[in-house]
Amino acid sequence: MNSFELNKILGAVLATCLILLALNITAGALFSVHKPEKPGFAIEAKEEAAHGGQAAPKETPPVETILAAASVDKGQATAKQCAACHTFEKGGPNRVGPNLYAIVGEKRGEGRGFNFSAAMKAKGGNWTLEELNKFLANPRGYIPGTNMTFAGLRDGQRADVIAYLNSLSDSPKPLPTAQAPAQGGQAPQGQQPPK
């Protein structure tokens, strides 16, 4: 092979490299990629109040009011979305969250062989129906610092789940009923009308 043939081959390789470099520079100028300030995806969260703290929690209706139309069967169906983190059977294992069998009336943040968050332990008290109502409406709003990342349940769903959780016991607690005023503005028998 003579030097003329070798020069043509090397010239073709160099010309190809120059053309690819020019195309790369041109493509970079035409199709610029803007890198995000922070890697990842933006997740929408509840807005904070104007003063920089968390927004004021929405008032939850009393548990007696929402339990008036509660259904244990609907609560069991709604609780399936909780099954990723909790179990409901007697003696069931803990998962990301504790087993919830017979939770109504139990001490909050204690026992069950589960390592509760410091916020849950600090809150103390018992899991009454009213406490479950407030917590399930907005877990992180009611107990800031809890490890439960669930956003919360609407009133009807919350009532159904509370009724279902109450039924998960060897001796379920009686559900409270709301005192509805009698027709005609009269107070129920045995009660005096308010003055």
Side-chain angles (χ1 to χ4, degrees), residues 77-88:
T78 303
K80 287 181 182 176
Q81 61 185 313
C82 308
C85 299
H86 299 280
T87 57
F88 298 94

Side-chain angles (χ1 to χ4, degrees), residues 16-172:
T16 303
C17 290
L18 285 174
I19 291 171
L20 288 175
L21 182 62
L23 285 173
N24 188 18
I25 292 170
T26 305
L30 292 176
F31 305 105
S32 62
V33 177
H34 298 287
K35 292 186 179 179
E37 292 176 16
K38 287 196 279 183
F41 295 99
I43 298 174
E44 293 192 28
K46 293 182 180 179
E47 292 184 24
E48 293 185 2
H51 55 79
Q54 288 190 343
K58 186 182 92 173
E59 280 296 316
T60 56
V63 72
E64 296 86 8
T65 305
I66 65 170
L67 284 176
S71 164
V72 173
D73 293 332
K74 287 182 183 176
Q76 184 176 11
T78 303
K80 287 181 182 176
Q81 61 185 313
C82 308
C85 299
H86 299 280
T87 57
F88 298 94
E89 65 273 0
K90 185 174 185 175
N94 293 323
R95 291 187 180 158
V96 175
N99 174 278
L100 297 179
Y101 185 84
I103 193 75
V104 177
E106 290 291 311
K107 291 197 176 288
R108 182 182 8 238
E110 295 181 17
R112 299 190 171 267
F114 186 77
N115 185 21
F116 291 95
S117 66
M120 187 67 72
K121 291 175 185 174
K123 183 74 172 176
N126 291 343
W127 281 119
T128 63
L129 298 175
E130 189 61 45
E131 290 293 308
L132 283 168
N133 182 37
K134 293 174 185 174
F135 182 70
L136 293 175
N138 182 0
R140 290 205 166 195
Y142 187 61
I143 303 179
T146 183
N147 290 338
M148 187 162 160
T149 58
F150 188 67
L153 294 169
R154 296 185 322 268
D155 292 348
Q157 288 180 324
R158 194 167 63 249
D160 295 338
V161 169
I162 291 170
Y164 173 62
L165 289 174
N166 186 61
S167 73
L168 298 177
S169 174
D170 292 333
S171 56

